[in-house]
Amino acid sequence: MKLVCAQSDLSTNLSLVSRAVPSRPTHPVLANVLLQADAQTNQVSLTAFDLSLGIRTSFSAEVLEGGAIALPAKLLVDITSRLPEGEITLDDESGDNTGEGIIVTLKPKSGKYQVRAMGAEEFPELPIIENSEAIHLTTAALIEGLRGSLFATSADETKQVLTGVHLTVKQDTLEFAATDGHRLAVLETTNERPLEGSSQLEVTVPARALRELQRMLAHSSSEETVALYFDQGQIVFAWQNQRLTSRTLEGQYPAYRQLIPRQFERQVTIERRQFISTLERIAVLADQKNNIVKVSIDNANQEITLSCEAQDVGSGTESMPAQISGEDIDIAFNVKYLMEGLKELPSSEIQMHLNQSLTPVIFTPLGGLKMTYLAMPVQLRN
């Protein structure tokens, strides 16, 4: 195998795929990236796979001699990223007779690096989904949905199904839902490419895979279409010359729609950025004491007051104007959960809907995107 490519192409694509290389591989070959060069199409593809998440990307190069080889991922990334811009020649010399195994030579403008490689046949195949109808999604809809849901997934591996985002693809909408048991984010976005027939797809995809998808899509244009293929236990996202495959999460996802109250006794409309910056200031003190912030709703003065008392440290209180309907109430939240959700609501004004001091509170953007953020209040201890 022999090819000539640009340092920037090799480096960029290597850093994309190497995120699917496991830090502690269960088998030596998984610490490698599979490089495949096709002399007919002059395309080079790179694949990394940890048996759960797989990423494949490809780029153009001058392929003088086709072939495939498994190269040590970390070493290759570290070398390539430090090489000067310009052309790199990649050449494998199978020196079986010297007992050296496979040696790959990288030749930048000046110098030469040699790396030990493994045979491509040892590298596991990426799952291929046969006879599944592709569902086409727009990049814009996917990015929007991921941004508004990923932050609310759980990091607790014992609640496996909650470590993913539940994706529901309907006729012409996409719904993303994520919960960690303390808060819930649900975002509905329009899919420009309606589904054929009346089929509906529901699947829970690990947050780790979706974070990689989000990172990869950030480099694509928003008009780009992503094809989604789904089969029992496996999901594939494919676009342009990129492909991400992931195992799906098993288990019944919570019936989250039932958690969202239908009616509310109180409603508050508030300026989002002002609310967040006030919370950030109060959070300095809340940080000192179990992260709890108290929100007092005052109908007569049409304002809300945020306060925190951190014993032995100090206290803070700040008020801001709001449009309030319903009776006065004091309610408390974990300030981290509150801020994380508010930062993702995509509008300048937001509405807060609530009933009692310990029932779920709903935050929604005013106008624009259909997003619901539910936060569970915490008990105020006097």
Side-chain angles (χ1 to χ4, degrees):
M1 182 187 75
K2 188 172 184 181
L3 63 100
V4 181
C5 66
Q7 177 271 342
S8 55
D9 286 346
L10 185 57
S11 182
T12 308
N13 285 279
L14 269 173
S15 60
L16 266 182
V17 298
S18 65
R19 301 185 65 90
V21 175
S23 48
R24 288 192 288 278
T26 48
H27 189 283
V29 78
L30 298 179
N32 289 266
V33 166
L34 177 68
L35 184 146
Q36 292 161 301
D38 187 329
Q40 285 180 313
T41 59
N42 275 316
Q43 285 285 311
V44 173
S45 80
L46 298 171
T47 309
F49 187 32
D50 66 4
L51 302 183
S52 170
L53 169 70
I55 298 177
R56 173 174 290 166
T57 80
S58 60
F59 58 95
S60 299
E62 188 188 347
V63 181
L64 305 167
E65 202 179 307
I69 198 158
L71 295 153
K74 187 174 182 326
L75 190 62
L76 203 60
V77 167
D78 288 351
I79 292 173
T80 316
S81 62
R82 289 169 174 79
L83 289 176
E85 280 189 14
E87 288 190 340
I88 296 178
T89 305
L90 228 96
D91 200 346
D92 78 328
E93 302 153 14
S94 304
D96 292 336
N97 46 5
T98 61
E100 289 281 329
I102 307 169
I103 300 285
V104 170
T105 308
L106 267 90
K107 289 183 194 152
K109 273 188 294 200
S110 55
K112 169 174 150 180
Y113 291 84
Q114 291 193 313
V115 176
R116 288 240 169 128
M118 294 173 85
E121 63 284 349
E122 294 185 54
F123 201 86
E125 286 280 325
L126 272 194
I128 292 170
I129 295 181
E130 304 283 350
N131 52 35
S132 152
E133 193 71 27
I135 295 171
H136 296 283
L137 314 174
T138 58
T139 302
L142 264 175
I143 290 174
E144 209 166 52
L146 293 174
R147 195 179 59 219
S149 59
L150 270 171
F151 73 95
T153 54
S154 173
D156 182 355
E157 291 296 332
T158 57
K159 302 181 187 147
Q160 191 87 61
V161 76
L162 299 187
T163 62
V165 170
H166 192 68
L167 180 62
T168 309
V169 186
K170 301 179 190 169
Q171 187 69 41
D172 49 9
T173 57
L174 284 178
E175 187 170 281
F176 298 77
T179 179
D180 60 3
H182 303 286
R183 52 19 194 316
L184 162 72
V186 182
L187 188 139
E188 199 176 275
T189 163
T190 321
N191 186 27
E192 304 296 331
R193 302 283 300 265
L195 282 190
E196 306 293 318
S198 58
S199 57
Q200 179 174 321
L201 161 76
E202 279 197 59
V203 61
T204 309
V205 188
R208 177 178 167 234
L210 292 176
R211 283 194 185 97
E212 294 311 325
L213 179 66
Q214 188 180 34
R215 197 174 270 114
M216 291 166 80
L217 288 175
H219 303 291
S220 303
S221 81
S222 54
E223 283 80 53
E224 187 80 55
T225 301
V226 176
L228 185 152
Y229 300 89
F230 172 65
D231 198 6
Q232 284 324 105
Q234 204 69 40
I235 191 162
V236 174
F237 296 90
W239 68 103
Q240 263 184 350
N241 46 8
Q242 321 249 330
R243 185 183 182 90
L244 181 139
T245 92
S246 172
R247 274 197 192 149
T248 56
L249 292 172
E250 289 172 13
Q252 186 69 41
Y253 201 78
Y256 56 87
R257 282 271 164 218
Q258 293 167 15
L259 304 172
I260 303 172
R262 294 265 170 259
Q263 287 166 313
F264 299 96
E265 297 165 20
R266 300 171 171 84
Q267 184 174 297
V268 179
T269 304
I270 198 156
E271 213 278 312
R272 185 179 74 103
R273 280 178 190 248
Q274 191 182 357
F275 194 13
I276 292 172
S277 53
T278 309
L279 277 169
E280 282 172 339
R281 291 189 287 275
I282 293 285
V284 174
L285 278 162
D287 239 11
Q288 307 288 323
K289 185 203 176 212
N290 63 20
N291 277 323
I292 304 300
V293 62
K294 182 166 98 173
V295 179
S296 306
I297 293 170
D298 178 350
N299 188 329
N301 292 312
Q302 289 289 299
E303 67 175 20
I304 65 166
T305 301
L306 305 179
S307 59
C308 172
E309 290 203 23
Q311 260 171 338
D312 309 328
V313 181
S315 64
T317 170
E318 211 172 311
S319 299
M320 57 180 290
Q323 293 165 293
I324 297 164
S325 64
E327 293 173 15
D328 295 359
I329 192 171
D330 285 350
I331 191 164
F333 295 98
N334 176 314
V335 71
K336 172 177 166 282
Y337 287 157
L338 201 52
M339 285 199 300
E340 282 186 355
L342 295 176
K343 281 179 179 172
E344 299 307 333
L345 287 172
S347 65
S348 57
E349 285 192 307
I350 53 171
Q351 285 188 324
M352 179 175 167
H353 313 265
L354 66 156
N355 288 314
Q356 299 302 315
S357 59
L358 286 173
T359 57
V361 178
I362 301 293
F363 295 90
T364 55
L366 210 55
L369 205 63
K370 285 172 80 173
M371 178 172 171
T372 303
Y373 182 60
L374 179 153
M376 285 305 294
V378 292
Q379 197 148 13
L380 269 172
R381 289 184 178 78
N382 297 328

